[in-house]
Amino acid sequence: PKTDIVFLKVHKSASSTVMNILFRFGDTHNLTFAFPAGGGNQLSYPRHFLATFVKGFSPRSPQRFNILCHHMRFLQPEVQKVVSSSAIYFSILRNPVQLMESSFVYYKGTSAFSRAHSLEEFLSQPYHYYNPKDSDSHYARNLMTFDFGFNPDAEVSAERVQLMLKAIEASFDLLLISEYFDESMVLLKEMLCWDLDNVISFPLNIRDNSTKSSLSDTIMEKIKDWNRLDWEIYTHFNRTFWERIDRDIGRERMQQEVKALRKRQAELARTCLQGMGSVAPKDIKDSSLQPLQHGNAKILGYNLNQGLDKETERMCRRLVTPELQYSSALYKKQFAQKHP
């Protein structure tokens, strides 16, 4: 199994669920994480990543960390200072149309979105609300482009797009697609030489349907135009994703793998979860499993079954612990005061 991993956590793209998978693997295998130096959950995002953002990094005695997965704005030469040269790099993408719809709700408090009553209103005259100079403007345009380290306001020329795609291809071993999450997990499992249980997950940091809105074709086209760089990244890597499946696994075997994954996930849901699924924030009984509520989104969580034996309870709890709580537990574990 591969233990040196860089995951670029792209916003609003099922990346919290992927992070849980990495947290669990690192937790059970006692791996070291590259935590933000000042605590918290972001590596000085939205600044470009620097090795000095990592707690315990020192240029004099460069310690290599196993897993780098907290929010950062990608900058490979700096990333290479904190992980081994054999580390596997991967990230996850999402259709920019759904990404923008999600961001508008989740980042409602940002300067670009706060004054627009609806996404339609924002898109009808984006520059009325959007100022590239605002420190939080990246949430409102080409967010994936930004997270990968590029300029989200750059002009869209064929040449620039090609350079950007080539740069991403040169840096990353695999780009997952959140719309095909199960297929993505199969590819990830293969690439990391992990077991099925290592890539099983329950969706984390997801919204209640009541805060989701359906979009007209006109709005979808406007979103694509406004996020043209993201659209180019997404369509390119969605295509190479399926090419990779055809080349490395084949559709038939992929179907069987996905089936096995879903079957195992259902088994774990029966074992672990009350009602086998997610619940509204107000219905979460264990406050330590309450996810962060952000913007206008209602973020769902889980209740664990009662009466589980200790080992099963621990496994189930890891599966449903929200990102912030899990991150701080791992931080405490890694930096526990070592008493003589």
Side-chain angles (χ1 to χ4, degrees):
K2 305 272 194 291
T3 53
D4 293 318
I5 295 160
V6 175
F7 172 54
L8 177 63
K9 185 177 191 296
V10 169
H11 288 78
K12 309 312 308 152
S13 303
S15 56
S16 295
T17 308
V18 177
M19 206 161 172
N20 175 271
I21 287 169
L22 295 173
F23 280 170
R24 282 172 12 230
F25 189 85
D27 193 4
T28 48
H29 292 80
N30 286 318
L31 303 178
T32 55
F33 288 87
F35 283 107
N41 218 36
Q42 308 202 338
L43 292 152
S44 296
Y45 186 86
R47 292 166 61 194
H48 272 108
F49 177 80
L50 295 174
T52 49
F53 295 164
V54 174
K55 185 177 171 72
F57 173 81
S58 138
R60 285 183 300 286
S61 60
Q63 181 201 347
R64 300 287 184 210
F65 298 87
N66 297 119
I67 299 178
L68 173 62
C69 63
H70 285 73
H71 271 309
M72 63 168 158
R73 189 174 183 203
F74 191 66
L75 187 60
Q76 191 163 15
E78 289 291 316
V79 168
Q80 286 167 332
K81 295 176 185 176
V82 298
V83 295
S84 104
S85 56
S86 62
I88 297 279
Y89 286 68
F90 79 100
S91 186
I92 187 164
L93 304 172
R94 183 181 184 185
N95 186 318
V97 174
Q98 277 69 49
L99 180 68
M100 178 110 193
E101 189 273 328
S102 177
S103 299
F104 186 80
V105 177
Y106 199 80
Y107 301 116
K108 192 68 185 91
T110 58
S111 38
F113 290 153
S114 60
R115 290 179 301 118
H117 291 109
S118 65
L119 187 50
E120 284 84 333
E121 191 180 306
F122 174 84
L123 291 161
S124 65
Q125 40 176 357
Y127 284 107
H128 178 68
Y129 303 102
Y130 174 82
N131 178 354
K133 291 190 173 63
D134 288 336
S135 61
D136 57 3
S137 67
H138 55 280
Y139 290 117
R141 187 177 201 192
N142 289 315
L143 182 50
M144 293 191 287
T145 302
F146 183 88
D147 286 350
F148 276 95
F150 304 106
N151 175 7
D153 291 293
E155 50 142 1
V156 185
S157 64
E159 188 186 10
R160 176 179 290 276
V161 167
Q162 277 314 307
L163 285 170
M164 194 169 66
L165 297 175
K166 284 209 162 53
I168 294 173
E169 269 170 353
S171 303
F172 288 85
D173 299 291
L174 178 63
L175 287 154
L176 308 175
I177 302 289
S178 65
E179 284 79 10
Y180 304 104
F181 193 80
D182 294 345
E183 289 84 351
S184 292
M185 290 305 102
V186 172
L187 282 181
L188 186 65
K189 168 175 84 76
E190 297 277 308
M191 186 178 69
L192 297 175
C193 306
W194 286 8
D195 295 333
L196 183 63
D197 271 17
N198 298 142
V199 297
I200 298 286
S201 62
F202 300 136
L204 295 176
N205 204 25
I206 54 164
R207 279 188 295 160
D208 184 322
N209 283 332
S210 67
T211 61
K212 296 180 184 173
S213 50
S214 58
L215 306 168
S216 69
D217 292 351
T218 321
I219 292 294
M220 289 189 193
E221 288 310 315
K222 281 184 176 173
I223 293 175
K224 286 179 199 173
D225 283 342
W226 176 245
N227 298 284
R228 181 55 60 187
L229 291 169
D230 271 11
W231 184 250
E232 295 287 348
I233 291 176
Y234 178 77
T235 49
H236 175 82
F237 288 108
N238 186 17
R239 194 180 69 246
T240 58
F241 176 84
W242 292 100
E243 285 168 2
R244 182 173 187 142
I245 287 173
D246 289 337
R247 187 187 72 223
D248 296 352
I249 294 182
R251 299 281 169 121
E252 204 173 315
R253 191 179 134 220
M254 177 53 90
Q255 272 180 327
Q256 291 162 352
E257 293 270 357
V258 166
K259 209 163 141 185
L261 181 117
R262 288 176 182 162
K263 184 174 167 224
R264 181 67 183 132
Q265 188 175 16
E267 278 169 21
L268 284 172
R270 271 195 297 277
T271 304
C272 297
L273 306 179
Q274 283 182 29
M276 281 188 68
S278 52
V279 297
K282 64 175 180 18
D283 298 324
I284 299 168
K285 300 185 182 96
D286 180 342
S287 59
S288 71
L289 297 179
Q290 180 70 255
L292 173 76
Q293 301 297 322
H294 200 79
N296 287 349
K298 266 205 199 100
I299 305 298
L300 303 174
Y302 297 94
N303 288 318
L304 291 179
N305 279 325
Q306 300 297 299
L308 298 169
D309 65 78
K310 214 169 161 182
E311 199 46 45
T312 309
E313 207 267 349
R314 200 166 82 176
M315 173 201 64
C316 292
R317 182 168 286 276
R318 282 175 170 157
L319 277 161
V320 299
T321 299
E323 182 185 323
L324 300 184
Q325 288 93 311
Y326 209 153
S327 185
S328 71
L330 290 169
Y331 182 93
K332 287 192 188 98
K333 176 179 165 182
Q334 190 164 311
F335 297 107
Q337 291 305 306
K338 306 210 174 17
H339 294 295

